[in-house]
Amino acid sequence: VCGGRRGVMEAAAKGCSRARGAVLGILPSVDPSEANPWITLPVVTGLGHLRNALVVLNADAVLALPGGPGTLTELSFARLYRRPAVTVGFSETGFPRCDTPEDALDMIWPQPLPPQ
């Protein structure tokens, strides 16, 4: 699950897609063509940044990389909706910090994930 557009969202979608996963992209607009090419299931909302609540509600955990206001709202929604959250490469009060995405995954899921 990601915000469905460019930058970190596109990189996450690409990695998931290459691992043969389905990628849910929750878009802020009403235009599905705004989705990056790796999105399997674009969801248009017309909600702008408010769609970040839907991103978090549909995730098992939040892995936040340095970003802008959208990243901060996703971390706030993670706290509100009791989703595990980890920051990678930056610190926010109250959230564990990791240096790499791999470390973040180990922190969120300390047990190995089952094979797909």
Side-chain angles (χ1 to χ4, degrees):
V1 176
C2 70
R5 292 173 57 190
R6 305 287 181 242
V8 171
M9 296 175 282
E10 185 170 7
K14 182 178 181 180
C16 182
S17 182
R18 286 191 169 171
R20 295 181 227 169
V23 187
L24 178 67
I26 301 178
L27 300 163
S29 69
V30 297
D31 184 358
S33 71
E34 289 185 8
N36 71 64
W38 302 100
I39 297 298
T40 310
L41 305 163
V43 177
V44 296
T45 67
L47 295 173
H49 282 294
L50 292 175
R51 68 71 153 87
N52 292 342
L54 299 175
V55 172
V56 171
L57 283 168
N58 287 283
D60 294 324
V62 174
L63 220 145
L65 282 87
T71 302
L72 297 176
T73 62
E74 287 172 341
L75 287 168
S76 296
F77 285 127
R79 170 80 35 84
L80 182 67
Y81 296 122
R82 301 179 189 272
R83 297 297 192 272
V86 176
T87 63
V88 180
F90 74 108
S91 296
E92 287 300 320
T93 304
F95 294 99
R97 179 191 187 278
C98 296
D99 291 320
T100 68
E102 293 81 11
D103 290 343
L105 291 174
D106 288 342
M107 183 176 285
I108 291 171
W109 288 289
Q111 302 301 315
L113 292 174
Q116 293 185 351

